[in-house]
Amino acid sequence: MTTTARLNTETQPVRSTESLISNKRLWAGRMMSGLPTLFLLVDGSMKLYKPRAVVEATVQMGYPESAIVGLGVALLLSTLLYLLPRTAILGVILLTGYLGGAVASQVRVSAMSFNIIFPVLIGALLWGGLWLRDRRLQALIPLRAQ
């Protein structure tokens, strides 16, 4: 760790990574993350309530009905981790795994191209939104030369 990156916790409070970036970038990241996050929360909640359409779609994909609630819990927990700034990176990694499973399931049943591409787009929006609002991720994945 460089001397400029160290914080003296006795004299300065530890700041969230959101406070270190511009308001424009922060709000762009929040908006980019908002729609896919809302979709994932609704999707996870629907898996907990198990309406007929969800059960039929899941069984058609080759999964037993007993797996639906577990998938919903995993999706909701991962999404909640993504929403919290301190655990957002862990959340997006877990969501990437979940969405990768969705892509694999769609490919396995020879679904339409949209059904295969949609989880990829959701994942790209999640990662892009987090990248815009989190300096740690920007340092880890620099998109331009410094």
Side-chain angles (χ1 to χ4, degrees):
M1 180 182 290
T2 64
T3 55
T4 57
R6 291 186 187 149
L7 286 177
N8 182 350
T9 56
E10 293 176 8
T11 58
Q12 291 181 326
V14 176
R15 298 179 190 169
S16 84
T17 57
E18 291 180 352
S19 66
L20 302 174
I21 58 178
S22 73
N23 277 339
K24 286 182 184 180
R25 184 173 268 194
L26 177 63
W27 279 102
R30 287 177 178 168
M31 291 185 338
M32 186 182 252
S33 298
L35 191 59
T37 300
L38 181 62
F39 172 79
L40 294 173
L41 289 171
V42 169
D43 186 32
S45 298
M46 295 293 285
K47 285 176 176 29
L48 295 183
Y49 291 112
K50 292 176 33 175
R52 183 182 305 167
V54 170
V55 173
E56 289 173 359
T58 304
V59 170
Q60 185 180 16
M61 297 291 294
Y63 293 100
E65 184 178 344
S66 61
I68 297 173
V69 172
L71 290 170
V73 169
L75 179 55
L76 287 173
L77 288 176
S78 299
T79 305
L80 292 175
L81 286 171
Y82 177 75
L83 289 172
L84 301 171
R86 293 187 74 151
T87 58
I89 292 175
L90 174 60
V92 78
I93 290 169
L94 293 173
L95 287 170
T96 301
Y98 183 91
L99 294 168
V103 169
S105 296
Q106 296 291 341
V107 168
R108 188 176 59 78
V109 298
S110 301
M112 298 184 316
S113 295
F114 176 78
N115 293 357
I116 296 169
I117 294 170
F118 186 73
V120 175
L121 294 175
I122 293 291
L125 288 171
L126 292 171
W127 276 101
L130 184 58
W131 187 88
L132 285 172
R133 64 180 203 270
D134 193 316
R135 283 276 190 213
R136 299 170 300 169
L137 195 55
Q138 292 170 18
L140 184 64
I141 307 170
L143 296 183
R144 60 187 169 128
Q146 295 290 332

